[in-house]
Amino acid sequence: QEKEERAKRKSLGINKPSKVISDGAYDKYRAQISIYKKKGIIEINGEYFKFNDILDYECCLMSKGGKVVSTSTSSVLKRVAVGGLLFGGAGAIIGATTAKKKIKNEEEIYYRINLTLNDLDNPLFSVDTEHEYITKELCAILNIIQNNKAEH
């Protein structure tokens, strides 16, 4: 398996990641993330994604019964744009804070990050973790990726 990983990294032209995040788990909630900033690639649990292929992401608290809380970035971005156009900087901030959130009142057990990908065969990729810090860090990285794409 290590040979396959090296071959995959070589085919993508990547070697050493600029950042690695890991929760150290090896169960169903494993989260191993590597960022290859210069090549614009993120690796999540052995799957590689180009920054430009990540269309949207959603960070959720999950329970055995389903989703507890989630916020879609497309909702945030639309509200920031409309608020900014109508009322300037203050409107953009207010727009961001009014983004749609789905809420259910259930016991939180783990976190899920869903990526919407520019791939008709595999449009959704999800990663689960029990660690809040992994979720916050990955969602912050995905937010930076989205913001940098919007600037270009």
Side-chain angles (χ1 to χ4, degrees), residues 73-84:
T73 57
S74 61
S75 172
V76 172
L77 295 175
K78 288 175 194 170
R79 289 172 181 265
V80 166
V82 171

Side-chain angles (χ1 to χ4, degrees), residues 89-103:
I93 293 169
I94 292 168
T97 60
T98 62
K100 294 178 186 174
K101 292 180 176 65
K102 298 175 188 174
I103 300 172

